């Protein structure tokens, strides 16, 4: 894998590194080489607009900046409001991972306008608002997550606890 990487053969390097990791899952160097090779391969691949699945793969592999960039690129050609909503949601996750709370808040709100209104989206809005110091907004978002999630939803339960902790003392 290293030899292929040094010779600029990103696809072969990725395949060999992945094979090494499959044989020995704790091989951290192999994991890093596989992800790096994937990034090189993607950077050199023929230009095509990435989609939601590509953004999710990049996030899963820890390629946060790539995920954010791809989400932006994909939104330019997204054909439906739902697609744009999903891309905004993934973009927000990347921005949160990069510590860009304000931009993530904006992306999450746009995701909501695009139909992404499940409990986890409201919970993520609450978390980012809390990190920005907006306690009242965070409490509102956590309450929305609890309401949308229903009774037997683990995210809704976490949201209820977070909202309760943010209520002014003396209020039920």
């Amino acid at each position: 894998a290293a030899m292929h990487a040094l010779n600029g053969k990103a696809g072969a390097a990725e395949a060999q590194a992945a094979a090494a990791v499959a044989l020995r899952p704790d091989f951290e160097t192999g994991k890093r080489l596989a992800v790096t090779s994937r990034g090189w391969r993607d950077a050199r691949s023929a230009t095509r607009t990435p989609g939601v699945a590509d953004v999710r793969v990049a996030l899963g592999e820890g390629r946060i900046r790539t995920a954010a960039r791809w989400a932006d690129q994909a939104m330019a050609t997204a054909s439906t409001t739902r697609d744009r909503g999903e891309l905004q949601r993934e973009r927000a996750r990347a921005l949160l991972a990069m510590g860009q709370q304000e931009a993530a808040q904006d992306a999450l709100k746009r995701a909501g306008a695009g139909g992404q209104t499940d409990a986890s989206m409201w919970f993520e809005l609450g978390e980012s608002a809390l990190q920005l110091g907006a306690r009242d907004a965070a409490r509102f978002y956590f309450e929305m997550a609890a309401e949308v999630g229903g009774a037997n939803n683990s995210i809704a339960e976490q949201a209820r606890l977070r909202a309760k902790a943010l209520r002014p003392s003396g209020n039920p």
Side-chain angles (χ1 to χ4, degrees), residues 40-89:
W40 292 333
R41 183 174 52 84
D42 288 346
R44 292 183 181 138
S45 65
T47 55
R48 71 167 178 83
T49 303
V52 175
D54 298 313
V55 174
R56 287 181 180 145
V57 167
L59 276 172
E61 292 177 345
R63 297 182 299 137
I64 308 303
R65 286 182 180 83
T66 298
R69 187 178 71 250
W70 283 358
D72 287 337
Q73 290 172 355
M75 276 187 280
T77 59
S79 59
T80 66
T81 301
R82 179 183 165 91
D83 289 344
R84 282 188 290 281
E86 284 186 60
L87 288 162
Q88 285 288 4
R89 180 76 177 273

Side-chain angles (χ1 to χ4, degrees), residues 87-101:
L87 288 162
Q88 285 288 4
R89 180 76 177 273
E90 299 306 325
R91 179 174 177 267
R93 289 181 174 143
L95 292 168
L96 286 169
M98 290 189 294
Q100 297 179 18
Q101 280 17 14

Side-chain angles (χ1 to χ4, degrees), residues 44-171:
R44 292 183 181 138
S45 65
T47 55
R48 71 167 178 83
T49 303
V52 175
D54 298 313
V55 174
R56 287 181 180 145
V57 167
L59 276 172
E61 292 177 345
R63 297 182 299 137
I64 308 303
R65 286 182 180 83
T66 298
R69 187 178 71 250
W70 283 358
D72 287 337
Q73 290 172 355
M75 276 187 280
T77 59
S79 59
T80 66
T81 301
R82 179 183 165 91
D83 289 344
R84 282 188 290 281
E86 284 186 60
L87 288 162
Q88 285 288 4
R89 180 76 177 273
E90 299 306 325
R91 179 174 177 267
R93 289 181 174 143
L95 292 168
L96 286 169
M98 290 189 294
Q100 297 179 18
Q101 280 17 14
E102 289 181 33
Q105 278 266 312
D106 181 58
L108 284 166
K109 289 175 183 177
R110 291 173 188 258
Q116 299 291 304
T117 57
D118 61 0
S120 64
M121 192 277 304
W122 289 108
F123 190 86
E124 289 167 0
L125 268 168
E127 285 294 318
S128 61
L130 194 57
Q131 290 178 14
L132 288 169
R135 291 175 55 88
D136 290 339
R139 188 179 71 238
F140 169 77
Y141 295 136
F142 289 134
E143 288 171 351
M144 287 300 296
E147 184 177 320
V148 169
N152 296 324
N153 183 298
S154 63
I155 292 173
E157 185 56 37
Q158 289 175 5
R160 282 184 199 82
L161 294 172
R162 301 286 275 175
K164 184 177 180 180
L166 291 171
R167 286 191 189 110
S169 47
N171 289 342

